[in-house]
Amino acid sequence: MNVKICTETFESNKPASLATYLKYGGYEAWKKIITEKTPKSSIVEKIKNSGLRGKGGAGFLTGLKWSFIPLENKQKYLVCNSDESEPGTCKDRDILRYNPHSIIEGMLIASYAIGASVAYNYLRGEFIDEQKRVFDEALKIAYQENLVGKDILSSSVSIDIYSLIGAGAYIVGEETAMLESIEGKRGMPRIKPPFPAIKGLFGKPTIINNTETLASVPKIMRNEPDWYKNIGIGDSEGIKMFCTSGHLEKPGNYEIPLGTPFRDLLELSGGVLNKGELKAVIPGGSSVPVVKGETMLQLNMDYESISSAGSMLGSGGVIVMDHTTCMVSVLQRISRFYYAESCGQCTPCREGTGWLYKMLTNILEGKGTISDLDTLNRIASQIEGHCICALGDAAAMPVRSFLKNFWHEFEYYVDKKQSMVS
Amino acid sequence: MKIYINNIEYDANPDETIIQVADRNNIKIPRFCYHKHLSVVASCRMCLVEIEGVKFAQPACSTPIKEDMRISTKSSKTKEAQKSTMEFLLINHPLDCPICDQAGECELQDVSLKHGDDHSKYLEFKRVVVDKDISPLISTEMTRCIHCSRCVRFGEEVAGNKELGLINRGEFTEIRAFIEDGVSSELSGNMIDLCPVGALNNKLYSYKARTWDLKQHPIISPHDCIGSNIFYHVYNNEIVRAIPKENSDINQTWLSDRDRFGYQGIYSKDRCYVSKHRKNKTLERVDSQDIIKKVNNAINSSLDKNTSSKIGSFISAQSTSEEMFLFQNLLRKLGIKNIDHRTNERDFDYQDTYPLMPSLGCNINDLSEYDNIILIGVNIKTEYPILTVRLNESVKQDTKIYSYHYFNMDEDFPVEKKFVMNNTDLLSLFQEHTLESCRNKKNLLVIGPNITYFSNQSVFLQALDKFAKNINSQIGYLTDFCNSTSGWILGNVPHRTIGGVKLDNPGLNATEMLENDLSTLIFYNLDPENDFHNSSALINSLQKSECNIFFTSYLTPIIEKYADYIVPISTYAESDGSFINIEGRFQSFNKVITPNSNVIDGWRALNELNILNNHQAYTIESIRSELSSTLSKIDFTSKILIDKKKYELDKSTKVHKNSLRHIYSTDQIVRRAKSLNETIQANNKSVYVSRDIFDDSENKKILKVVENNRVFKIDNFQIRDDLPSRTIVYSSSFNNKFTESKSTFVSLKK
């Protein structure tokens, strides 16, 4: 089955233009909703039935999330999370520049369904040059066509969309930190509960969805929920973009049904670079546990299959490593990222991420001891589950999984003071 | 709702968090970032506790309770989680306890002793943070900071003035003032208490003593009429620092900087340590045993020579209630009626209609119950900084605050509307003014001390009474000294005796005493340079008087020039005493330090004089019991009818001259507190002139002001466009260059 949702327009001549989007049935769902005045609850119900799950990393059921919003007639907000910063992930970047209208339509439908009159699209700081420009241009045209704004197509529905740009902090991708940032504060995650659906942006009920999630909404609305549900292979429902990177012949964004065997994705990506040997795969962005190559070849690209191997589907950032990769070096680099990106709020993450990075650097410089490996494991477990947001866990999980899966390589390094692969 | 902590059942309210239930039941949970008066951030992760059915230990400070929740503060999961947080907190902490002032009372030290490990696996370099000089009151050692952010939240939420914030990320997070700014809040010292480690320290206390060698003594603030409760910490008979004594009715857990650092004034080089008597125009030292006798002889010979009406007496309202009681007791028994404590005032026509004692009109705790609080001539931020906390609380509970003043000043709480007008315009405004938004609401009108300085105070009070009636508001007062209440109720006014009993033949008031060429003047605890409405009038009468007796803690140039007798008396901390705060709360305290042996306890000196005149001798206990029986008999609810006398509205086009009550110049102790007078606020000693006055003046460099037929030159002034018309304002009444009235009408000389 060769279904495309978010990547539908990618191959077109002018992918970001309104004409292209209309050609693929764009804004049909939105126009239908506002002319028919579709009840909000039936939209939520439809998304719920489709089995659409959040594409940002956690994989939470989108329809269920929308249903948490209080029904009373109060100010509410929708936020589109385009702060795509997870290392290994580059899907939202392409949706923003090649299919921006799908995001706008998705934001409109979602805002309508939850009763929000204002929606924000928060883009990561690095998107300032291209993605922000393309999205803003598309938004401008949508405003001109009165698809967004006041009294949309004389339906008396009014929804405003604003785009915002971050300043380059990874942590702002965490939804409550993003809310802080939109409010003009320091981007630090909030304590939950209260959850944003109850008390979010400016203290008002807020739904935050990933870019890909929202971009998937219009097409689901155009078709029936079962259509989306049936795309997946086996028990997995729906479709997902995977960003393959690393030692591959053809790394890139591939939108494939959930449940597709990893082998197929590897094949789509042209196979391992120079016909090398597959050593390890990080299947869902740098925060998730690493999986050994041979295990990965047995897995399918869906939530259940990946988690059976002790990892997560995450954001869909598939990082492939071949036999020339030094795992100590990779882990040190990953740890440096979390060390640099910790917001500094919670003690375990603020102090622990630095400690992990410094120990790994010592090992890499040949100053490590075998007991350091135990200490690394211990520090990681002390961070895990003890912080306000998931960044602490994200820093801890790679450390524990790398040590678990490649202990011999770390042992070799501290013993011989050099890499096993060089 | 019921929850179980360590398998014991506890009652809890559904909106509580685990730590609140634990604290109430005295179950110890370690914490750093949590503070009961600050918002919850749950960032230190020290209070992690095991909850049955939850995979990871959860922060007790932010986790709301649920029915039948089972929490363990002692299980191995709890212990492991807390130990691991402790390990993280210590890896970058310098552990320099031997040279840290916080050692011995450090929360990090205490918690690590109980919950930490005795060694560390961390072998990397520790983080070092460059210090910033943020204030003359707070020293910093930011390498010790554990980023609990209590100081940041205090500034934002309690003091209403966010001056510290977090910058940078992760391990490089720093608590810092904005760019190169410092901390200037009038409540900044509280950050020292809040800091759980030795990052923010008391600069005055730096390396003075170790905490475990200190003795703690309770005392009441002598700097404002709020009566904050303080603990003085004493080392070798020297006060080395002050911390708040928690009193949920008054200052809660906070102290203003003035109350915290004001004690430095006790150690001023101006202190008067010897008794003196003027012989042949020079002051000679007298044995402290003899000075009281000499003073007694002087008063009695003056009484023999003249009538008692030729003797005038002034007492500072910063004196203790015991001193005020004995002062008027002595003088009235000697037949002297000219007694007054209102040395800063000019106009006394109002006095017969004034309440028995000034009062806020409500308890401080009840301020948030008002819909509107209307401030008249008072700047809470600089005059009553501790009330900023309460008004911030009130505003959060939807109280609206209005301010009427002749000077535009910032407040650290949101002000609904500010009216900045000169005396004359305010006066005409109040005749007809009705604040529409205050109709049919619960209102409190608070009259500040700046009003009492007005040379037309009586007219003003009557206009305010009318305004209050128009909007159906209660009236409350804030006074300029900590014990003005006692000044009134204990009979230190010419027209009423103790208990506020009206006198048929009143004595002379403070102004009349200076205008009536008296032969003997007695000053108790007053700073002649600054504590009088018009110091040139004072000097004039000192020159004419035959005998000037000063009971004083400080020597000033005027005292040294004109005194015939100087009795060195104790300051508030060197003697037992009591103050009645503006709510009417009688608060007593005991001597904290023993002064120089030549210094005489104030009340003992007065008691001695009573004994020498064969009057009843008192002890501190007998005074207090007499005071409490007097106070218990008074019906404070009785309203005094406002005199219907019509006042002429002064419509002259004269210029209004006013001086502000400068935060660190309000009383003679704080004026001499060295560190407070190094702060940014203290540096502001300017003269402000309204734009129209400047435009009218021909000479743009020097303004000439005519007051009481004398010409004064103002050469260093600032023009302020936000000043009401025809106004000159002195930013500080503590300004030796300008010695005429604090508040009056003047004219300009072209």
Side-chain angles (χ1 to χ4, degrees):
Chain A
M1 198 149 88
N2 196 11
V3 179
K4 295 272 177 279
I5 295 182
C6 300
T7 60
E8 207 166 34
T9 59
F10 280 26
E11 306 296 321
S12 308
N13 198 11
K14 283 185 175 171
S17 72
L18 180 63
T20 308
Y21 187 59
L22 291 173
K23 202 169 78 195
Y24 286 98
Y27 290 112
E28 274 172 22
W30 177 231
K31 285 173 188 163
K32 187 164 179 252
I33 287 168
I34 53 170
T35 40
E36 288 177 7
K37 296 269 165 2
T38 315
K40 290 168 183 171
S41 57
S42 82
I43 300 175
V44 176
E45 207 54 34
K46 214 166 172 180
I47 296 297
K48 240 188 206 173
N49 292 338
S50 74
L52 175 66
R53 292 168 73 150
K55 313 285 194 192
F60 194 80
L61 288 162
T62 306
L64 190 61
K65 196 187 226 180
W66 290 4
S67 69
F68 293 153
I69 206 100
L71 290 172
E72 72 256 47
N73 196 17
K74 270 197 204 156
Q75 177 69 55
K76 291 160 202 166
Y77 293 103
L78 176 88
V79 175
C80 172
N81 185 342
S82 297
D83 187 75
E84 184 183 50
S85 315
E86 180 71 13
T89 318
C90 52
K91 59 189 180 62
D92 300 341
R93 177 172 76 169
D94 278 359
I95 305 175
L96 283 161
R97 58 179 174 174
Y98 297 139
N99 197 0
H101 284 288
S102 67
I103 304 168
I104 295 169
E105 191 182 358
M107 287 174 78
L108 288 166
I109 297 169
S111 300
Y112 178 89
I114 62 166
S117 58
V118 177
Y120 294 93
N121 188 13
Y122 189 102
L123 285 78
R124 74 179 287 199
E126 290 81 351
F127 285 173
I128 193 159
D129 288 329
E130 190 183 1
Q131 291 78 3
K132 174 94 170 23
R133 183 177 53 75
V134 175
F135 182 81
D136 283 354
E137 181 63 26
L139 187 60
K140 200 174 116 193
I141 288 165
Y143 260 104
Q144 280 165 10
E145 298 294 320
N146 195 216
L147 293 159
V148 191
K150 302 275 175 288
D151 191 19
I152 297 167
L153 303 174
S154 313
S155 64
S156 80
V157 176
S158 297
I159 294 167
D160 278 308
I161 296 180
Y162 301 96
S163 71
L164 299 157
I165 191 92
Y170 169 72
I171 193 63
V172 181
E174 201 279 344
E175 56 181 20
T176 53
M178 177 172 286
L179 300 182
E180 290 280 299
S181 178
I182 297 175
E183 289 180 12
K185 298 174 189 157
R186 191 181 151 85
M188 297 203 297
R190 295 178 182 170
I191 316 165
K192 282 159 279 186
F195 289 93
I198 307 301
K199 196 166 177 250
L201 190 59
F202 305 112
K204 303 283 186 281
T206 305
I207 292 292
I208 302 127
N209 284 132
N210 171 258
T211 315
E212 189 191 348
T213 317
L214 288 169
S216 306
V217 167
K219 199 154 176 185
I220 296 172
M221 291 305 295
R222 281 207 295 278
N223 300 290
E224 282 310 300
D226 282 349
W227 166 84
Y228 185 79
K229 214 171 173 169
N230 293 331
I231 296 173
I233 296 170
D235 292 338
S236 305
E237 296 158 349
I239 190 166
K240 166 113 188 71
M241 281 177 79
F242 290 97
C243 328
T244 58
S245 62
H247 297 119
L248 292 166
E249 289 290 347
K250 258 178 69 191
N253 279 323
Y254 299 97
E255 192 171 29
I256 53 169
L258 285 166
T260 307
F262 172 71
R263 277 177 190 283
D264 294 0
L265 181 63
L266 190 61
E267 203 175 300
L268 273 172
S269 308
V272 181
L273 190 68
N274 300 326
K275 302 212 160 44
E277 191 188 315
L278 182 69
K279 181 176 184 179
V281 176
I282 301 174
S286 68
S287 306
V288 309
V290 67
V291 180
K292 279 185 179 171
E294 65 258 31
T295 317
M296 198 65 203
L297 289 170
Q298 312 302 319
L299 300 178
N300 298 330
M301 296 311 289
D302 63 59
Y303 297 98
E304 294 73 23
S305 178
I306 303 281
S307 75
S308 72
S311 189
M312 287 181 275
L313 195 69
S315 63
V318 182
I319 303 167
V320 174
M321 290 167 264
D322 73 1
H323 64 285
T324 64
T325 315
C326 170
M327 300 313 272
V328 182
S329 194
V330 172
L331 183 59
Q332 188 256 5
R333 185 60 190 81
I334 290 177
S335 292
R336 180 175 174 271
F337 177 78
Y338 294 105
Y339 172 46
E341 295 297 343
S342 166
C343 81
Q345 188 176 203
C346 310
T347 306
C349 174
R350 180 183 64 237
E351 309 291 349
T353 50
W355 195 354
L356 292 174
Y357 167 69
K358 286 172 198 167
M359 283 181 81
L360 284 160
T361 307
N362 277 346
I363 293 172
L364 216 54
E365 286 169 358
K367 292 184 232 156
T369 62
I370 193 77
S371 73
D372 282 351
L373 302 184
D374 293 323
T375 309
L376 274 174
N377 240 333
R378 182 172 65 84
I379 305 303
S381 70
Q382 284 177 201
I383 299 172
E384 212 176 336
H386 287 161
C387 298
I388 290 174
C389 79
L391 191 139
D393 301 348
M397 281 189 293
V399 174
R400 299 186 73 181
S401 65
F402 271 71
L403 286 168
K404 188 175 149 221
N405 288 316
F406 301 96
W407 180 268
H408 60 284
E409 211 172 300
F410 284 84
E411 210 173 35
Y412 184 94
Y413 211 119
V414 293
D415 190 28
K416 302 277 196 301
K417 318 268 180 236
Q418 63 171 13
S419 174
M420 206 169 168
V421 293
S422 62
Chain B
M1 197 183 268
K2 287 198 173 16
I3 63 164
Y4 299 85
I5 304 178
N6 303 329
N7 291 323
I8 299 167
E9 189 182 295
Y10 294 99
D11 278 332
N13 303 318
D15 55 350
E16 279 182 310
T17 56
I18 298 170
I19 212 166
Q20 287 173 318
V21 182
D23 280 358
R24 197 176 52 238
N25 292 295
N26 216 10
I27 302 162
K28 299 249 181 321
I29 299 178
R31 84 285 307 268
F32 294 111
C33 66
Y34 175 79
H35 188 278
K36 62 180 174 183
H37 288 133
L38 301 175
S39 66
V40 173
V41 288
S43 66
C44 76
R45 316 309 277 183
M46 195 61 224
C47 66
L48 294 173
V49 289
E50 180 179 0
I51 300 168
E52 201 179 274
V54 179
K55 187 177 172 196
F56 293 106
Q58 296 297 313
C61 66
S62 70
T63 309
I65 54 158
K66 285 196 188 102
E67 185 78 58
D68 293 331
M69 193 181 235
R70 300 190 85 92
I71 298 137
S72 173
T73 66
K74 292 173 182 165
S75 70
S76 60
K77 194 193 261 185
T78 301
K79 279 184 181 159
E80 279 306 309
Q82 292 175 350
K83 194 173 158 187
S84 97
T85 301
M86 201 64 235
E87 180 178 17
F88 286 131
L89 282 171
L90 293 183
I91 63 171
N92 277 312
H93 185 80
L95 298 169
D96 57 346
C97 311
I99 55 149
C100 177
D101 276 330
Q102 188 87 0
E105 56 177 9
C106 175
E107 290 173 53
L108 189 69
Q109 219 178 21
D110 296 348
V111 175
S112 74
L113 183 70
K114 198 156 176 226
H115 303 273
D117 210 335
D118 56 357
H119 70 288
S120 172
K121 282 258 180 196
Y122 187 75
L123 301 169
E124 321 301 326
F125 282 110
K126 286 183 183 243
R127 171 179 56 227
V128 174
V129 184
V130 178
D131 274 329
K132 291 271 185 285
D133 186 8
I134 57 166
S135 156
L137 306 172
I138 303 172
S139 63
T140 63
E141 191 67 63
M142 296 317 283
T143 303
R144 295 178 187 145
C145 176
I146 58 165
H147 308 95
C148 70
S149 81
R150 281 189 196 173
C151 53
V152 177
R153 283 175 284 148
F154 171 80
E156 202 171 353
E157 297 161 14
V158 181
N161 185 357
K162 188 179 177 179
E163 294 178 295
L164 288 181
L166 291 160
I167 67 152
N168 298 339
R169 274 207 304 257
E171 197 185 294
F172 305 99
T173 307
E174 269 181 49
I175 303 277
R176 244 173 71 172
F178 182 64
I179 313 206
E180 293 297 310
D181 272 4
V183 169
S184 67
S185 160
E186 291 74 12
L187 294 157
S188 67
N190 293 301
M191 297 181 195
I192 301 165
D193 301 333
L194 285 171
C195 184
V197 295
L200 301 176
N201 296 301
N202 188 323
K203 213 171 219 175
L204 282 59
Y205 171 68
S206 262
Y207 306 124
K208 280 228 166 164
R210 301 307 323 226
T211 50
W212 51 87
D213 291 330
L214 301 175
K215 278 195 179 133
Q216 176 164 285
H217 299 268
I219 199 161
I220 306 301
S221 160
H223 302 300
D224 63 34
C225 61
I226 308 303
S228 292
N229 289 200
I230 311 175
F231 276 127
Y232 277 164
H233 287 171
V234 175
Y235 181 65
N236 280 346
N237 195 38
E238 186 191 343
I239 301 168
V240 288
R241 68 171 181 184
I243 61 162
K245 179 176 181 237
E246 185 169 353
N247 185 330
S248 57
D249 294 327
I250 304 174
N251 52 313
Q252 298 160 314
T253 52
W254 317 118
L255 269 191
S256 66
D257 287 356
R258 193 165 60 189
D259 293 343
R260 185 184 300 264
F261 302 107
Y263 72 82
Q264 255 194 335
I266 296 171
Y267 301 102
S268 156
K269 60 177 174 20
D270 296 350
R271 269 308 289 276
C272 174
Y273 290 123
V274 282
S275 308
K276 283 182 180 171
H277 166 42
R278 191 176 298 276
K279 247 188 203 165
N280 306 325
K281 297 192 173 171
T282 52
L283 278 174
E284 283 177 13
R285 190 182 168 139
V286 181
D287 198 286
S288 61
Q289 312 291 321
D290 300 335
I291 189 69
I292 301 293
K293 277 184 203 130
K294 282 188 188 295
V295 166
N296 187 45
N297 291 343
I299 298 173
N300 279 303
S301 69
S302 173
L303 280 169
D304 292 343
K305 261 194 276 172
N306 308 294
T307 62
S308 61
S309 64
K310 281 301 218 183
I311 301 177
S313 63
F314 306 87
I315 185 165
S316 159
Q318 199 186 15
S319 311
T320 62
S321 305
E322 288 83 348
E323 288 171 309
M324 296 227 218
F325 170 78
L326 288 171
F327 188 74
Q328 59 84 36
N329 185 62
L330 170 74
L331 296 172
R332 291 203 193 282
K333 282 194 174 149
L334 289 173
I336 299 165
K337 282 180 176 174
N338 304 333
I339 307 172
D340 213 338
H341 73 276
R342 299 163 298 171
T343 52
N344 271 325
E345 298 182 25
R346 171 73 185 83
D347 172 19
F348 297 91
D349 286 351
Y350 73 94
Q351 68 181 14
D352 291 329
T353 61
Y354 197 75
L356 290 181
M357 162 174 120
S359 155
L360 185 58
C362 70
N363 285 329
I364 292 165
N365 262 348
D366 300 337
L367 281 172
S368 58
E369 287 174 10
Y370 287 89
D371 297 315
N372 301 292
I373 295 175
I374 302 144
L375 304 172
I376 314 279
V378 58
N379 180 242
I380 299 295
K381 179 177 158 80
T382 59
E383 293 179 88
Y384 305 93
I386 195 73
L387 282 187
T388 295
V389 177
R390 296 307 192 129
L391 293 183
N392 259 320
E393 280 173 10
S394 304
V395 170
K396 277 177 196 150
Q397 292 174 43
D398 291 332
T399 301
K400 301 267 183 291
I401 298 172
Y402 297 84
S403 168
Y404 294 78
H405 208 298
Y406 55 76
F407 194 71
N408 184 12
M409 281 194 283
D410 292 336
E411 293 284 13
D412 282 340
F413 45 82
V415 177
E416 187 74 10
K417 194 163 183 198
K418 252 189 212 174
F419 297 81
V420 183
M421 293 172 168
N422 66 29
N423 180 312
T424 311
D425 291 343
L426 277 174
L427 205 47
S428 19
L429 178 78
F430 290 137
Q431 300 294 330
E432 301 301 328
H433 191 47
T434 53
L435 206 49
E436 277 310 315
S437 43
C438 296
R439 267 192 199 280
N440 303 321
K441 296 271 177 66
K442 194 172 179 203
N443 303 323
L444 178 67
L445 190 123
V446 180
I447 303 173
N450 283 299
I451 304 300
T452 67
Y453 297 176
F454 283 166
S455 53
N456 57 351
Q457 178 188 186
S458 307
V459 195
F460 225 92
L461 288 178
Q462 203 177 31
L464 284 173
D465 187 63
K466 194 172 172 192
F467 175 42
K469 283 200 177 91
N470 279 344
I471 58 168
N472 189 24
S473 173
Q474 258 177 281
I475 291 183
Y477 294 88
L478 285 169
T479 57
D480 59 350
F481 283 109
C482 63
N483 213 6
S484 303
T485 40
S486 292
W488 279 93
I489 200 67
L490 300 182
N492 287 281
V493 279
H495 63 299
R496 290 177 193 167
T497 60
I498 186 158
V501 179
K502 199 178 171 202
L503 280 172
D504 292 334
N505 297 308
L508 302 176
N509 63 43
T511 305
E512 289 165 343
M513 280 193 260
L514 297 183
E515 286 167 350
N516 272 281
D517 299 345
L518 301 183
S519 65
T520 301
L521 294 171
I522 303 167
F523 299 89
Y524 193 91
N525 202 18
L526 283 160
D527 189 342
E529 273 83 352
N530 301 291
D531 286 343
F532 284 84
H533 183 80
N534 184 339
S535 28
S536 59
L538 173 69
I539 291 169
N540 191 29
S541 50
L542 282 170
Q543 280 167 343
K544 288 181 181 159
S545 145
E546 290 157 20
C547 175
N548 300 318
I549 302 164
F550 284 91
F551 293 83
T552 183
S553 303
Y554 297 99
L555 278 182
T556 73
I558 292 183
I559 293 179
E560 287 188 284
K561 195 167 175 192
Y562 297 108
D564 294 300
Y565 297 91
I566 298 176
V567 185
I569 54 164
S570 53
T571 59
Y572 66 105
E574 293 160 340
S575 167
D576 297 340
S578 311
F579 297 133
I580 302 176
N581 87 345
I582 200 67
E583 300 169 295
R585 208 182 286 269
F586 186 80
Q587 302 189 101
S588 296
F589 52 88
N590 296 329
K591 181 177 185 159
V592 172
I593 45 166
T594 309
N596 179 302
S597 59
N598 292 323
V599 172
I600 306 168
D601 260 15
W603 73 272
R604 281 182 206 280
L606 295 168
N607 196 32
E608 197 68 23
L609 284 168
N610 267 316
I611 294 168
L612 288 173
N613 289 294
N614 301 318
H615 303 146
Q616 186 193 344
Y618 283 94
T619 61
I620 210 81
E621 289 78 21
S622 64
I623 303 172
R624 282 178 188 170
S625 72
E626 186 148 344
L627 287 184
S628 67
S629 77
T630 309
L631 292 171
S632 67
K633 278 179 227 148
I634 299 167
D635 178 15
F636 285 108
T637 58
S638 67
K639 286 236 171 79
I640 294 176
L641 287 171
I642 287 279
D643 195 36
K644 290 293 173 205
K645 191 161 91 186
K646 271 272 175 206
Y647 289 98
E648 281 292 313
L649 204 61
D650 188 346
K651 291 232 169 81
S652 66
T653 54
K654 281 184 168 179
V655 169
H656 304 81
K657 190 194 101 180
N658 293 306
S659 36
L660 299 171
R661 293 180 70 243
H662 193 278
I663 179 165
Y664 300 134
S665 308
T666 45
D667 64 68
Q668 52 175 343
I669 311 260
V670 81
R671 253 169 238 148
R672 293 177 172 86
K674 189 169 155 282
S675 299
L676 285 175
N677 284 292
E678 287 164 3
T679 59
I680 296 169
Q681 290 96 329
N683 287 334
N684 179 13
K685 287 187 178 164
S686 356
V687 183
Y688 302 110
V689 170
S690 63
R691 172 71 63 185
D692 57 339
I693 292 181
F694 177 74
D695 289 345
D696 284 357
S697 171
E698 282 161 25
N699 189 337
K700 301 291 181 198
K701 293 270 166 59
I702 299 168
L703 295 181
K704 287 179 184 167
V705 173
V706 185
E707 183 179 344
N708 293 338
N709 302 322
R710 285 171 68 186
V711 179
F712 294 90
K713 288 176 186 169
I714 311 173
D715 53 359
N716 194 4
F717 57 87
Q718 288 178 33
I719 306 156
R720 271 180 73 145
D721 289 321
D722 60 349
L723 218 55
S725 63
R726 316 294 296 161
T727 305
I728 298 173
V729 175
Y730 284 72
S731 70
S732 166
S733 52
F734 185 51
N735 190 331
N736 291 326
K737 273 165 85 183
F738 199 78
T739 54
E740 285 293 306
S741 308
K742 287 185 174 169
S743 172
T744 190
F745 294 95
V746 295
S747 55
L748 289 174
K749 196 176 172 194
K750 290 262 171 175

